[in-house]
Amino acid sequence: MCVIFWLSSRTAEQSSEQSDSILQWLINIFGDNLFTTFIIRKSAHFLEFTGLCVLFNLALFQTKKRTMPVLSVIFTSLYAASDEIHQIFVEGRSCEFGDWVIDSSGAILGAIGFLILFAVIKCLIRKKGKIC
């Protein structure tokens, strides 16, 4: 959450400078267009919140001893909303409903990924290394 907050605290200019190396690599592959810029920016949103949701899932599992994917998606989505509101106060940044939707979609993927990984590990432990 601190990393996401820090990234959102960067001005639009600082954020652009930060992503320029990755963007340049993509431009070399796909060409210089709005689509390439859109992909890099939105992928960052999606993946940040996918990771955060996985971490929420792990924390909830460690404290409650059971999976709680819906709660982890809710927590992640609420943090995504607060992150968008935070950006209102950062120079050159804005609060975007579309970004919140992308962030929340990343959270859903994080919860699904955690459940799949959890099921595989549980199966492997139960079967003592046999494939389920």
Side-chain angles (χ1 to χ4, degrees):
M1 291 170 76
C2 291
V3 170
I4 292 171
F5 184 86
W6 178 76
L7 290 169
S8 293
S9 296
R10 318 246 321 141
T11 65
E13 183 179 319
Q14 291 169 324
S15 179
S16 292
E17 289 172 6
Q18 190 173 8
S19 60
D20 275 349
S21 61
I22 297 169
L23 188 58
Q24 188 57 50
W25 179 72
L26 287 173
I27 287 170
N28 291 339
I29 295 171
F30 299 110
D32 189 6
N33 55 52
L34 184 61
F35 183 72
T36 307
T37 304
F38 177 81
I39 291 292
I40 190 70
R41 297 243 178 249
K42 300 312 171 188
S43 294
H45 275 270
F46 188 84
L47 294 174
E48 286 172 345
F49 288 91
T50 299
L52 181 59
C53 190
V54 168
L55 293 174
F56 271 131
N57 272 288
L58 287 169
L60 288 168
F61 181 75
Q62 288 297 315
T63 57
K64 300 295 183 185
K65 302 302 180 207
R66 62 188 180 104
T67 60
M68 303 178 81
V70 173
L71 192 57
S72 68
V73 169
I74 291 169
F75 286 165
T76 305
S77 186
L78 287 172
Y79 188 75
S82 74
D83 182 58
E84 289 303 313
I85 292 167
H86 164 235
Q87 290 182 43
I88 293 171
F89 304 100
V90 178
E91 181 183 332
R93 304 292 290 269
S94 61
C95 178
E96 307 260 344
F97 178 76
D99 285 348
W100 174 79
V101 171
I102 290 169
D103 299 343
S104 296
S105 299
I108 292 168
L109 177 66
I112 292 169
F114 178 81
L115 287 174
I116 291 169
L117 184 60
F118 182 80
V120 168
I121 291 170
K122 189 175 176 181
C123 182
L124 291 173
I125 290 170
R126 190 177 308 137
K127 299 291 184 176
K128 296 182 184 173
K130 294 180 184 176
I131 297 177
C132 298

